[in-house]
Coordinates of all heavy atoms in Angstrom, one line a residue:
M1 N -12.4 135.3 128.0 CA -12.1 134.6 129.3 C -13.1 135.3 130.4 O -13.1 136.5 130.4 CB -10.7 134.8 129.6 CG -10.3 133.7 130.7 SD -8.6 133.8 131.2 CE -7.8 134.5 129.7
D2 N -13.7 134.5 131.1 CA -14.6 135.1 132.2 C -13.9 135.7 133.3 O -12.7 135.4 133.6 CB -15.6 134.0 132.7 CG -14.9 133.0 133.5 OD1 -14.7 133.2 134.7 OD2 -14.5 132.0 132.8
S3 N -14.5 136.6 134.1 CA -13.8 137.5 135.1 C -13.4 136.6 136.2 O -12.4 136.9 136.8 CB -14.8 138.6 135.5 OG -15.9 138.0 136.2
G4 N -14.1 135.5 136.5 CA -13.7 134.6 137.5 C -12.3 134.0 137.2 O -11.4 134.0 138.1
M5 N -12.1 133.6 136.0 CA -10.7 133.0 135.6 C -9.7 134.1 135.6 O -8.6 133.9 136.1 CB -10.9 132.4 134.2 CG -9.6 131.7 133.7 SD -9.0 130.4 134.9 CE -9.8 129.0 134.3
V6 N -10.0 135.3 135.2 CA -9.1 136.4 135.2 C -8.6 136.7 136.6 O -7.3 136.7 136.8 CB -9.6 137.6 134.6 CG1 -8.7 138.9 134.8 CG2 -9.9 137.5 133.1
S7 N -9.5 136.7 137.6 CA -9.0 137.0 138.9 C -8.1 135.8 139.5 O -7.2 136.1 140.3 CB -10.2 137.2 139.9 OG -11.0 136.2 140.1
K8 N -8.5 134.5 139.1 CA -7.8 133.4 139.5 C -6.3 133.5 139.0 O -5.3 133.2 139.7 CB -8.3 132.2 139.1 CG -9.6 131.8 139.8 CD -9.4 131.6 141.4 CE -10.8 131.3 142.1 NZ -10.8 131.5 143.5
I9 N -6.2 133.8 137.8 CA -4.8 134.0 137.1 C -4.1 135.1 137.9 O -2.8 134.9 138.1 CB -5.0 134.3 135.6 CG1 -5.5 133.0 135.0 CG2 -3.7 134.6 135.0 CD1 -6.0 133.2 133.5
E10 N -4.7 136.2 138.2 CA -4.0 137.3 138.9 C -3.6 136.8 140.2 O -2.4 137.1 140.8 CB -4.9 138.5 139.0 CG -4.9 139.3 137.6 CD -6.0 140.4 137.7 OE1 -6.6 140.7 138.7 OE2 -6.1 141.0 136.6
K11 N -4.4 136.1 140.9 CA -4.1 135.6 142.2 C -2.8 134.6 142.2 O -2.0 134.6 143.0 CB -5.2 134.9 142.8 CG -5.2 134.5 144.3 CD -6.3 133.8 144.8 CE -7.0 134.5 146.1 NZ -8.1 133.7 146.6
A12 N -2.9 133.7 141.2 CA -1.8 132.8 141.0 C -0.5 133.5 140.7 O 0.5 133.1 141.2 CB -2.1 131.9 139.8
R13 N -0.5 134.6 140.0 CA 0.6 135.3 139.7 C 1.2 135.9 141.0 O 2.4 135.8 141.2 CB 0.3 136.5 138.7 CG 1.3 136.8 137.7 CD 0.8 137.8 136.7 NE 0.5 137.1 135.6 CZ -0.4 137.6 134.6 NH1 -1.2 138.6 134.9 NH2 -0.6 136.9 133.5
R14 N 0.3 136.4 141.9 CA 0.8 137.0 143.1 C 1.3 135.8 144.1 O 2.4 135.9 144.6 CB -0.4 137.7 143.9 CG -0.1 138.3 145.1 CD -1.1 139.3 145.5 NE -2.5 138.8 145.5 CZ -3.1 138.1 146.5 NH1 -2.4 137.7 147.4 NH2 -4.3 137.7 146.3
Y15 N 0.6 134.7 144.1 CA 1.0 133.6 144.9 C 2.4 133.1 144.5 O 3.2 132.8 145.3 CB 0.1 132.4 144.8 CG -1.2 132.5 145.6 CD1 -2.3 131.6 145.4 CD2 -1.4 133.4 146.6 CE1 -3.4 131.6 146.3 CE2 -2.5 133.4 147.4 CZ -3.5 132.5 147.3 OH -4.6 132.5 148.0
A16 N 2.7 133.1 143.2 CA 3.9 132.6 142.7 C 5.1 133.4 143.2 O 6.2 133.0 143.2 CB 3.9 132.5 141.2
E17 N 4.8 134.7 143.5 CA 5.8 135.6 144.0 C 6.2 135.3 145.4 O 7.2 135.7 145.9 CB 5.4 137.1 143.8 CG 5.2 137.5 142.4 CD 6.5 137.6 141.6 OE1 7.4 138.2 142.1 OE2 6.5 137.2 140.4
E18 N 5.2 134.8 146.1 CA 5.3 134.5 147.5 C 5.6 133.1 147.9 O 4.7 132.3 148.2 CB 4.0 135.0 148.2 CG 3.6 136.5 147.9 CD 2.2 136.8 148.3 OE1 1.4 136.1 148.8 OE2 1.9 138.0 148.0
K19 N 6.8 132.7 147.6 CA 7.2 131.3 147.6 C 7.0 130.6 148.9 O 6.9 129.4 149.0 CB 8.6 131.1 147.2 CG 8.8 131.5 145.7 CD 10.1 131.0 145.1 CE 10.4 131.5 143.8 NZ 9.4 131.2 142.7
D20 N 6.9 131.4 150.0 CA 6.7 130.8 151.4 C 5.4 130.2 151.6 O 5.1 129.5 152.5 CB 7.1 131.7 152.5 CG 6.1 132.9 152.5 OD1 5.7 133.3 151.4 OD2 6.0 133.5 153.5
R21 N 4.5 130.4 150.6 CA 3.1 129.8 150.7 C 3.1 128.3 150.4 O 2.2 127.7 150.7 CB 2.2 130.5 149.6 CG 1.8 131.9 150.0 CD 0.8 132.5 148.9 NE 0.5 133.8 149.3 CZ -0.6 134.1 150.2 NH1 -1.2 133.1 150.7 NH2 -0.8 135.4 150.4
A22 N 4.2 127.9 149.7 CA 4.2 126.5 149.2 C 5.3 125.7 149.8 O 6.4 126.2 149.9 CB 4.3 126.4 147.6
Q23 N 5.0 124.5 150.2 CA 6.1 123.6 150.7 C 6.0 122.3 150.1 O 4.9 121.7 150.0 CB 6.0 123.5 152.3 CG 6.4 124.7 153.0 CD 6.7 124.5 154.4 OE1 5.8 123.9 155.1 NE2 7.9 124.9 154.7
F24 N 7.1 121.6 149.7 CA 7.1 120.3 149.1 C 7.2 119.4 150.2 O 8.2 119.3 151.0 CB 8.3 120.2 148.1 CG 8.1 121.1 146.9 CD1 8.7 122.4 146.9 CD2 7.5 120.7 145.8 CE1 8.6 123.2 145.8 CE2 7.3 121.5 144.6 CZ 7.9 122.7 144.7
C25 N 6.2 118.4 150.3 CA 6.2 117.4 151.4 C 6.7 116.1 150.9 O 7.4 115.3 151.7 CB 4.8 117.3 152.0 SG 4.2 118.8 152.7
A26 N 6.4 115.7 149.6 CA 6.9 114.4 149.2 C 7.0 114.6 147.5 O 6.2 115.1 147.0 CB 5.8 113.4 149.5
F27 N 8.0 114.0 147.0 CA 8.2 114.0 145.6 C 9.3 113.1 145.1 O 10.1 112.5 145.9 CB 8.6 115.5 145.1 CG 9.8 116.1 145.8 CD1 11.0 115.8 145.3 CD2 9.6 117.0 146.9 CE1 12.2 116.4 146.0 CE2 10.7 117.5 147.6 CZ 11.9 117.2 147.1
E28 N 9.4 112.9 143.8 CA 10.4 112.1 143.2 C 11.1 112.9 142.1 O 10.4 113.5 141.3 CB 9.9 110.7 142.6 CG 10.9 109.9 142.0 CD 10.1 108.5 141.6 OE1 9.6 107.8 142.5 OE2 10.1 108.3 140.3
V29 N 12.4 112.9 142.0 CA 13.2 113.6 141.1 C 14.1 112.7 140.3 O 14.8 111.8 140.8 CB 14.0 114.8 141.8 CG1 14.8 115.5 140.8 CG2 13.1 115.6 142.6
K30 N 14.1 113.0 138.9 CA 15.2 112.4 138.1 C 16.3 113.4 138.0 O 16.1 114.5 137.6 CB 14.5 112.0 136.7 CG 15.6 111.4 135.8 CD 15.0 111.2 134.4 CE 16.0 110.9 133.4 NZ 15.5 110.9 132.0
F31 N 17.5 113.0 138.6 CA 18.6 113.9 138.7 C 19.6 113.5 137.8 O 20.2 112.4 137.9 CB 19.1 114.0 140.2 CG 19.9 115.1 140.5 CD1 19.5 116.2 141.3 CD2 21.2 115.1 140.1 CE1 20.3 117.2 141.6 CE2 22.1 116.2 140.3 CZ 21.6 117.2 141.1
R32 N 20.1 114.5 136.9 CA 21.2 114.1 136.0 C 22.5 114.4 136.6 O 22.9 115.6 136.8 CB 21.0 115.0 134.7 CG 21.9 114.7 133.6 CD 21.5 115.2 132.3 NE 20.9 116.6 132.4 CZ 21.6 117.7 132.4 NH1 23.0 117.6 132.3 NH2 21.1 118.9 132.6
G33 N 23.2 113.4 137.1 CA 24.5 113.5 137.6 C 25.6 113.7 136.6 O 25.3 113.7 135.4
E34 N 26.8 113.8 137.0 CA 27.9 113.9 136.1 C 28.1 112.6 135.2 O 28.5 112.6 134.1 CB 29.2 114.4 136.7 CG 29.4 115.8 136.9 CD 30.7 116.2 137.6 OE1 31.6 115.3 137.8 OE2 30.8 117.4 137.9
H35 N 27.8 111.5 136.0 CA 28.1 110.2 135.3 C 26.9 109.5 134.9 O 26.9 108.8 133.9 CB 29.0 109.3 136.2 CG 30.3 110.0 136.7 ND1 31.3 110.3 135.9 CD2 30.6 110.5 137.8 CE1 32.2 110.8 136.4 NE2 31.9 111.1 137.7
S36 N 25.9 109.6 135.7 CA 24.6 108.9 135.3 C 23.5 109.6 136.0 O 23.6 110.4 136.9 CB 24.7 107.5 135.6 OG 25.0 107.4 137.0
D37 N 22.3 109.2 135.6 CA 21.0 109.7 136.2 C 20.8 109.0 137.5 O 21.1 107.8 137.7 CB 19.8 109.5 135.3 CG 19.9 110.4 134.1 OD1 20.8 111.3 134.0 OD2 19.1 110.3 133.2
H38 N 20.1 109.7 138.5 CA 19.8 109.2 139.8 C 18.3 109.5 140.1 O 17.9 110.6 139.6 CB 20.7 109.6 140.8 CG 22.1 109.2 140.7 ND1 22.5 107.9 140.8 CD2 23.2 109.8 140.2 CE1 23.7 107.7 140.7 NE2 24.2 108.8 140.3
V39 N 17.7 108.6 140.8 CA 16.3 108.9 141.2 C 16.4 109.3 142.8 O 17.0 108.6 143.5 CB 15.4 107.7 141.1 CG1 14.0 108.0 141.7 CG2 15.3 107.3 139.6
V40 N 16.0 110.6 143.0 CA 16.0 111.0 144.4 C 14.6 111.2 144.8 O 13.7 111.7 144.1 CB 16.7 112.3 144.5 CG1 16.7 112.9 145.9 CG2 18.1 112.4 143.9
R41 N 14.3 110.7 146.1 CA 13.0 110.8 146.6 C 12.9 111.5 148.0 O 13.9 111.5 148.7 CB 12.3 109.4 146.9 CG 12.0 108.7 145.6 CD 11.3 107.3 145.9 NE 11.0 106.7 144.7 CZ 11.8 105.7 144.1 NH1 12.9 105.4 144.6 NH2 11.4 105.2 142.9
Y42 N 11.9 112.2 148.2 CA 11.8 113.0 149.5 C 10.4 112.7 150.1 O 9.4 112.7 149.3 CB 11.9 114.5 149.2 CG 11.9 115.3 150.5 CD1 13.0 115.6 151.3 CD2 10.7 115.9 150.8 CE1 12.9 116.3 152.5 CE2 10.5 116.7 152.0 CZ 11.7 116.9 152.8 OH 11.6 117.7 153.9
N43 N 10.3 112.3 151.3 CA 9.0 112.1 152.0 C 9.1 112.4 153.5 O 9.9 111.9 154.2 CB 8.6 110.6 151.7 CG 7.1 110.4 152.1 OD1 6.4 111.3 152.4 ND2 6.8 109.2 152.0
K44 N 8.4 113.4 154.0 CA 8.2 113.8 155.4 C 9.6 114.0 156.0 O 9.9 113.5 157.0 CB 7.6 112.6 156.1 CG 6.2 112.3 155.7 CD 5.6 111.2 156.6 CE 4.7 110.2 155.8 NZ 4.2 109.1 156.7
G45 N 10.5 114.8 155.3 CA 11.8 115.0 155.8 C 12.9 114.0 155.6 O 14.0 114.1 156.0
V46 N 12.5 112.9 154.9 CA 13.4 111.8 154.8 C 13.8 111.8 153.2 O 13.0 111.6 152.4 CB 12.9 110.4 155.1 CG1 13.8 109.3 154.8 CG2 12.3 110.4 156.5
W47 N 15.2 111.8 153.0 CA 15.7 111.7 151.7 C 16.1 110.3 151.3 O 16.5 109.5 152.2 CB 16.9 112.6 151.5 CG 16.8 114.1 151.6 CD1 16.8 114.9 152.6 CD2 16.3 114.9 150.5 NE1 16.6 116.1 152.3 CE2 16.2 116.3 150.9 CE3 16.1 114.7 149.1 CZ2 16.0 117.3 150.2 CZ3 15.7 115.7 148.3 CH2 15.6 117.0 148.8
L48 N 16.0 109.9 150.0 CA 16.4 108.7 149.5 C 17.0 108.9 148.2 O 16.5 109.7 147.3 CB 15.3 107.7 149.4 CG 14.8 106.9 150.5 CD1 13.5 106.1 150.2 CD2 15.8 106.1 151.2
C49 N 18.2 108.4 147.9 CA 18.8 108.4 146.5 C 19.4 107.1 146.2 O 19.8 106.3 147.0 CB 20.0 109.5 146.6 SG 20.7 109.7 144.9
D50 N 19.3 106.7 144.9 CA 19.8 105.4 144.5 C 21.3 105.4 144.2 O 21.8 104.3 143.8 CB 18.9 104.9 143.3 CG 19.2 105.8 142.0 OD1 20.0 106.7 142.1 OD2 18.5 105.4 141.1
C51 N 22.1 106.4 144.6 CA 23.5 106.4 144.3 C 24.2 105.6 145.4 O 23.7 105.5 146.5 CB 24.0 107.9 144.1 SG 24.2 108.8 145.5
H52 N 25.5 105.3 145.0 CA 26.3 104.4 146.0 C 26.7 105.2 147.2 O 26.6 104.8 148.3 CB 27.5 104.0 145.3 CG 28.4 103.1 146.1 ND1 28.0 101.9 146.5 CD2 29.7 103.3 146.6 CE1 29.0 101.3 147.3 NE2 30.0 102.2 147.3
F53 N 27.1 106.5 147.0 CA 27.5 107.3 148.2 C 26.3 107.5 149.1 O 26.6 107.4 150.4 CB 27.9 108.7 147.6 CG 28.6 109.6 148.7 CD1 30.0 109.5 148.8 CD2 27.9 110.4 149.6 CE1 30.6 110.3 149.8 CE2 28.6 111.1 150.6 CZ 29.9 111.1 150.7
F54 N 25.1 107.6 148.7 CA 24.0 107.9 149.6 C 23.8 106.5 150.5 O 23.4 106.6 151.6 CB 22.7 108.1 148.9 CG 21.6 108.4 149.8 CD1 21.4 109.8 150.2 CD2 20.8 107.4 150.2 CE1 20.3 110.1 151.1 CE2 19.7 107.7 151.1 CZ 19.4 109.0 151.5
S55 N 24.0 105.4 149.8 CA 23.8 104.1 150.5 C 24.7 103.9 151.7 O 24.4 103.3 152.7 CB 23.9 102.9 149.5 OG 25.2 102.7 149.2
Q56 N 25.8 104.6 151.6 CA 26.8 104.5 152.7 C 26.7 105.7 153.7 O 27.0 105.5 154.9 CB 28.2 104.6 152.1 CG 28.6 103.4 151.2 CD 29.9 103.4 150.8 OE1 30.4 104.6 150.3 NE2 30.7 102.4 150.7
R57 N 26.2 106.8 153.3 CA 26.3 108.1 154.1 C 24.8 108.7 154.4 O 24.8 109.7 155.2 CB 27.2 109.1 153.6 CG 28.6 108.6 153.2 CD 29.5 108.5 154.4 NE 29.8 109.7 155.0 CZ 30.8 110.4 154.6 NH1 31.6 110.0 153.7 NH2 31.1 111.6 155.2
Q58 N 23.9 108.2 153.8 CA 22.5 108.8 153.9 C 22.5 110.3 153.5 O 21.5 110.9 153.9 CB 22.0 108.6 155.3 CG 21.5 107.1 155.7 CD 22.8 106.2 155.9 OE1 23.6 106.6 156.7 NE2 22.9 105.2 155.2
V59 N 23.3 110.7 152.8 CA 23.4 112.0 152.2 C 24.3 112.0 151.0 O 25.2 111.1 150.9 CB 23.8 113.1 153.2 CG1 25.2 113.0 153.6 CG2 23.5 114.5 152.7
C60 N 24.1 112.9 150.0 CA 24.9 112.8 148.8 C 24.8 114.1 148.1 O 24.0 115.0 148.5 CB 24.6 111.6 147.9 SG 22.9 111.9 147.2
S61 N 25.5 114.3 147.0 CA 25.5 115.5 146.3 C 24.2 115.9 145.7 O 23.9 117.0 145.5 CB 26.7 115.6 145.2 OG 26.5 114.5 144.4
H62 N 23.4 114.8 145.4 CA 22.1 115.1 144.7 C 21.1 115.6 145.7 O 20.4 116.4 145.5 CB 21.7 113.7 144.1 CG 22.8 113.0 143.3 ND1 23.3 111.8 143.8 CD2 23.4 113.4 142.3 CE1 24.3 111.5 142.9 NE2 24.4 112.4 142.0
T63 N 21.1 115.0 146.9 CA 20.1 115.4 148.0 C 20.5 116.8 148.4 O 19.7 117.6 148.6 CB 20.1 114.4 149.1 OG1 21.3 114.3 149.7 CG2 19.6 113.0 148.7
M64 N 21.9 117.0 148.5 CA 22.2 118.4 149.0 C 22.0 119.4 147.9 O 21.6 120.6 148.3 CB 23.7 118.3 149.4 CG 24.0 117.6 150.7 SD 25.7 117.7 151.3 CE 26.6 116.7 150.2
A65 N 22.1 119.1 146.7 CA 21.8 120.0 145.6 C 20.3 120.4 145.7 O 19.9 121.5 145.6 CB 22.2 119.5 144.2
L66 N 19.5 119.3 145.8 CA 18.1 119.6 145.8 C 17.7 120.5 147.1 O 16.7 121.3 147.0 CB 17.3 118.4 145.9 CG 17.3 117.7 144.4 CD1 16.8 116.2 144.5 CD2 16.4 118.4 143.4
E67 N 18.4 120.2 148.2 CA 18.0 121.1 149.3 C 18.4 122.5 149.0 O 17.6 123.4 149.5 CB 18.9 120.6 150.5 CG 18.3 119.4 151.3 CD 19.1 119.1 152.6 OE1 20.3 118.9 152.5 OE2 18.4 118.9 153.6
R68 N 19.4 122.8 148.3 CA 19.7 124.1 148.0 C 18.8 124.7 147.0 O 18.3 125.9 147.0 CB 21.1 124.2 147.4 CG 22.3 124.1 148.3 CD 23.6 123.9 147.7 NE 24.7 123.9 148.6 CZ 25.4 124.9 148.9 NH1 25.2 126.1 148.3 NH2 26.4 124.8 149.8
I69 N 18.4 123.9 146.0 CA 17.4 124.3 145.0 C 16.1 124.7 145.6 O 15.5 125.7 145.3 CB 17.1 123.2 143.9 CG1 18.4 123.1 143.0 CG2 16.0 123.5 143.0 CD1 18.4 121.8 142.1
L70 N 15.6 123.9 146.6 CA 14.3 124.1 147.2 C 14.5 124.8 148.5 O 13.6 124.7 149.4 CB 13.7 122.7 147.4 CG 13.4 122.0 146.1 CD1 13.1 120.6 146.3 CD2 12.3 122.8 145.3
D71 N 15.5 125.6 148.7 CA 15.8 126.3 150.0 C 14.5 126.9 150.6 O 13.9 127.8 150.0 CB 16.8 127.5 149.6 CG 17.2 128.2 150.9 OD1 17.3 127.5 151.9 OD2 17.4 129.4 150.8
G72 N 14.3 126.5 151.8 CA 13.1 127.0 152.5 C 11.7 126.5 152.0 O 10.7 127.0 152.6
M73 N 11.8 125.6 151.1 CA 10.4 125.1 150.4 C 10.1 123.6 150.8 O 9.3 123.0 150.2 CB 10.4 125.3 149.0 CG 10.5 126.8 148.6 SD 10.1 127.1 146.9 CE 8.4 126.8 146.8
L74 N 10.9 123.0 151.8 CA 10.7 121.6 152.0 C 10.0 121.5 153.4 O 10.3 122.4 154.4 CB 12.0 121.0 152.3 CG 12.8 120.7 150.9 CD1 14.2 120.3 151.3 CD2 12.1 119.8 150.0
C75 N 8.9 120.7 153.5 CA 8.3 120.5 154.8 C 8.7 119.2 155.3 O 9.0 118.2 154.5 CB 6.7 120.5 154.6 SG 5.9 119.1 153.9
D76 N 8.9 119.0 156.7 CA 9.4 117.8 157.2 C 8.3 116.8 157.7 O 8.6 115.9 158.3 CB 10.5 118.1 158.3 CG 9.9 119.0 159.3 OD1 8.7 119.2 159.4 OD2 10.8 119.5 160.1
Q77 N 7.1 117.2 157.4 CA 6.0 116.3 157.7 C 4.9 116.4 156.7 O 4.7 117.5 156.2 CB 5.5 116.5 159.1 CG 5.1 117.9 159.3 CD 4.8 118.2 160.8 OE1 4.0 117.5 161.5 NE2 5.5 119.2 161.4
V78 N 4.2 115.3 156.4 CA 3.0 115.4 155.5 C 2.0 116.1 156.1 O 1.5 115.7 157.3 CB 2.7 114.0 155.0 CG1 1.3 114.0 154.3 CG2 3.8 113.5 154.1
V79 N 1.4 117.1 155.5 CA 0.3 117.9 156.0 C -1.1 117.1 155.8 O -1.3 116.6 154.6 CB 0.2 119.2 155.4 CG1 -1.0 120.0 155.9 CG2 1.5 120.0 155.7
E80 N -1.8 116.9 156.8 CA -3.2 116.2 156.6 C -4.0 117.0 155.7 O -4.1 118.3 155.8 CB -3.8 116.0 157.9 CG -3.1 115.0 158.8 CD -2.8 113.6 158.3 OE1 -3.7 113.2 157.6 OE2 -1.8 112.9 158.5
N81 N -4.7 116.4 154.8 CA -5.6 117.1 154.0 C -6.8 117.7 154.8 O -7.6 116.9 155.4 CB -6.1 116.2 152.9 CG -7.2 116.9 151.9 OD1 -7.4 118.0 152.1 ND2 -7.5 116.2 150.9
P82 N -6.9 119.0 154.9 CA -8.1 119.5 155.7 C -9.4 119.3 155.1 O -10.4 119.5 155.8 CB -7.7 121.0 155.7 CG -6.9 121.3 154.5 CD -6.2 120.0 154.2
N83 N -9.5 118.9 153.8 CA -10.7 118.7 153.1 C -10.8 117.3 152.5 O -10.8 117.3 151.2 CB -11.0 119.9 152.1 CG -10.9 121.2 152.8 OD1 -11.6 121.5 153.7 ND2 -10.1 122.1 152.2
P84 N -10.9 116.3 153.2 CA -10.8 115.0 152.6 C -12.1 114.8 151.7 O -13.1 115.3 152.0 CB -10.8 113.9 153.7 CG -11.1 114.8 155.0 CD -10.9 116.3 154.6
A85 N -11.9 114.1 150.6 CA -13.0 113.8 149.8 C -14.1 113.0 150.3 O -13.8 112.1 151.2 CB -12.4 113.2 148.5
Ligands
LIG101 ZN1 22.8 110.6 145.3

């Protein structure tokens, strides 16, 4: 392996320890609930879930669980790409 790759791997290892470097801005999750699977989406601070409870309350056990899992790693706005192609 070349030295360039070795230093990138070492940097990645260090970055992975510093979780505040990364924030999730938008994603889709397949969530295995107690009774059935649900699709949960997150985009710019807005949660969506396909379960019945969410459709009535705009929050549910699935979105709350993911907030706990991703504690401190959610961004509430999409970051503009500083280096557009
Ligand atoms: Zn739900």
Side-chain angles (χ1 to χ4, degrees):
M1 202 181 325
D2 65 90
S3 65
M5 183 57 87
V6 169
S7 73
K8 290 298 180 196
I9 291 170
E10 280 170 8
K11 191 182 236 183
R13 214 171 259 149
R14 180 164 50 81
Y15 277 172
E17 300 287 316
E18 301 164 5
K19 294 195 189 300
D20 62 331
R21 288 183 179 275
Q23 289 199 306
F24 294 92
C25 299
F27 55 81
E28 181 176 296
V29 177
K30 180 179 162 189
F31 196 104
R32 185 165 42 83
E34 271 181 11
H35 305 292
S36 56
D37 289 353
H38 295 286
V39 177
V40 182
R41 293 186 177 93
Y42 180 84
N43 193 1
K44 305 180 209 175
V46 178
W47 289 98
L48 285 173
C49 181
D50 65 1
C51 76
H52 181 67
F53 192 90
F54 187 91
S55 69
Q56 296 179 318
R57 307 285 292 271
Q58 287 74 56
V59 67
C60 64
S61 56
H62 315 114
T63 62
M64 287 190 280
L66 286 167
E67 276 186 311
R68 285 172 176 259
I69 290 168
L70 298 169
D71 182 34
M73 296 189 75
L74 292 170
C75 77
D76 54 14
Q77 54 191 304
V78 166
V79 180
E80 295 299 324
N81 182 357
N83 304 305

